[in-house]
Amino acid sequence: MKIALTSLLTVATFALGATDALAQTTLKWAHVYETSEPFHTESVWAAEEIAKRTEGRYKIDVFPASQLGKETDINQGLKLGTVDIIISGSSFAAREYAPIGVTYYPYAFRDADHLIAYTKSDVFQRLAKGYEDASGNHITAVSYYGTRHTTANRAIEKCADMQGLKIRVPDVPAYLAMPRACGANTAPIAFAEVYLALQNGTVEAQENPLTTIEAKKFFEVQKNIALTGHIVDHLNTVLAGPVWAAISDADKAVFTEVMQEASARTAKIIVERESALVQGFRDRGLTVTEVDKADFEKTVNETTKPEDFGYVSADLDAIRAIR
């Protein structure tokens, strides 16, 4: 009888363990960034933290560096069910709901603190809901990506200095606004080909955050950095609609809290890196110029309007008013 009872308990324990294992939900979290970047390291931290705070109910595997596809692919993957969570820019969210793309409009944000304040505002809640209603997907957090500046083979201090400049810009409407307003000629060269294009003179300039300028070594083939600060860039952490709907309210709170903590950690790292890079580039012999931002912003506002890109001026005004 003792042996039989022990065997029965063993079977029951095994069955309970199997039930617990079956109860665990495994999710795929995909992005296009390298493993050394905070968008990856903090995603891994968040995945581990969610597992802890949900007592193992969720196991999240993070796939960096386009392992599950380029940014277009992983956005589509949310609908196809091939990915569950992604980090992606609002330019992709704007393909589902155009108004959210206003966050890429030149000089919408003053700095990283302004961007973070926006994520806690009513206007963010409204735009995020518009995206969710249109796509079915849910934005849990927004991460600071970096402030975009311009590198060139000529000195740039004011908007008119860009007249006729051949500049590589991502083929996204809001990214084109500032260079075109200043009279530059834009070229949508693939990101992987930018270094060579700068080196051989196919283009004379490009724009990206300082962290990207360093990582991609654009400083090796450019002489000047103009701190145009025209776009305070960001990335959204997005969950597929069916995944978000299946999560309990208590666990939704955990996902949101952890992912927002991860975005705050990311912002801290990026801001610190950017601050150090200004002097770092000067030490490398580059000319780093503080431009007349008011002149750039005035020219953009006089020559373009948010509605030209499917955005809403009232949304831009509301964002700019956030303190």
Side-chain angles (χ1 to χ4, degrees):
M1 179 180 289
K2 184 177 180 181
I3 293 172
L5 182 59
T6 301
S7 299
L8 185 61
L9 288 171
T10 300
V11 171
T13 302
F14 177 80
L16 181 60
T19 301
D20 288 344
L22 290 173
Q24 185 181 65
T25 299
T26 300
L27 301 175
K28 293 181 179 179
W29 185 337
H31 64 77
V32 300
Y33 301 97
E34 300 301 324
T35 55
S36 61
E37 297 185 79
F39 315 110
H40 177 69
T41 59
E42 302 317 302
S43 294
V44 171
W45 173 84
E48 294 171 349
E49 199 66 19
I50 287 170
K52 291 177 186 175
R53 298 189 198 183
T54 61
E55 299 177 331
R57 287 191 296 278
Y58 292 91
K59 178 179 183 294
I60 302 176
D61 297 319
V62 182
F63 297 86
S66 302
Q67 288 180 8
L68 298 186
K70 297 178 181 178
E71 201 159 1
T72 298
D73 301 323
I74 62 175
N75 273 272
Q76 293 173 343
L78 291 175
K79 290 189 174 183
L80 298 174
T82 54
V83 297
D84 305 299
I85 307 167
I86 67 170
I87 296 176
S88 179
S90 284
S91 59
F92 287 88
R95 295 179 182 182
E96 302 276 0
Y97 180 65
I100 201 170
V102 74
T103 50
Y104 281 135
Y105 199 75
Y107 302 104
F109 298 105
R110 296 178 296 278
D111 50 29
D113 288 340
H114 185 189
L115 171 69
I116 293 167
Y118 154 76
T119 67
K120 301 172 183 177
S121 71
D122 291 342
V123 64
F124 167 73
Q125 294 297 331
R126 179 162 46 78
L127 290 173
K129 184 178 186 305
Y131 166 72
E132 185 164 0
D133 290 345
S135 68
N137 304 321
H138 181 77
I139 297 173
T140 57
V142 178
S143 299
Y144 175 59
Y145 179 72
T147 299
R148 301 180 80 92
H149 301 292
T150 306
T151 69
N153 286 333
R154 70 169 76 160
I156 297 171
E157 295 182 359
K158 57 186 183 301
C159 187
D161 292 335
M162 295 183 69
Q163 185 70 37
L165 185 72
K166 293 185 295 183
I167 182 171
R168 181 269 176 183
V169 181
D171 192 19
V172 175
Y175 284 103
L176 302 171
M178 184 279 283
R180 289 184 176 176
C182 294
N185 298 319
T186 58
I189 294 168
F191 186 53
E193 300 169 11
V194 175
Y195 184 97
L196 182 60
L198 293 169
Q199 188 177 49
N200 64 26
T202 302
V203 291
E204 306 167 280
Q206 68 83 45
E207 53 81 57
N208 260 298
L210 296 178
T211 48
T212 304
I213 292 167
E214 181 192 42
K216 297 301 180 182
K217 300 187 183 301
F218 296 149
F219 63 87
E220 295 180 345
V221 287
Q222 298 276 262
K223 298 176 181 177
N224 300 278
I225 299 177
L227 300 177
T228 47
H230 49 285
I231 295 175
V232 175
D233 217 338
H234 62 282
L235 301 171
N236 301 315
T237 304
V238 188
L239 273 76
V243 174
W244 183 248
I247 297 173
S248 70
D249 288 346
D251 287 345
K252 278 184 171 74
V254 172
F255 272 67
T256 301
E257 180 180 51
V258 171
M259 289 174 170
Q260 289 182 359
E261 286 178 19
S263 71
R265 291 162 61 102
T266 297
K268 184 174 185 295
I269 294 168
I270 296 295
V271 168
E272 288 174 353
R273 288 183 182 178
E274 286 181 316
S275 178
L277 279 171
V278 172
Q279 187 57 47
F281 284 128
R282 287 179 173 143
D283 292 343
R284 286 185 172 110
L286 278 76
T287 300
V288 182
T289 306
E290 298 279 355
V291 305
D292 183 353
K293 283 189 183 179
D295 173 62
F296 279 85
E297 185 173 352
K298 179 174 179 289
T299 303
V300 170
N301 291 340
E302 288 177 349
T303 58
T304 62
K305 58 183 184 296
E307 281 73 16
D308 295 339
F309 308 103
Y311 313 146
V312 180
S313 290
D315 291 336
L316 179 62
D317 293 340
I319 290 171
R320 286 175 170 169
I322 293 170
R323 291 292 183 268

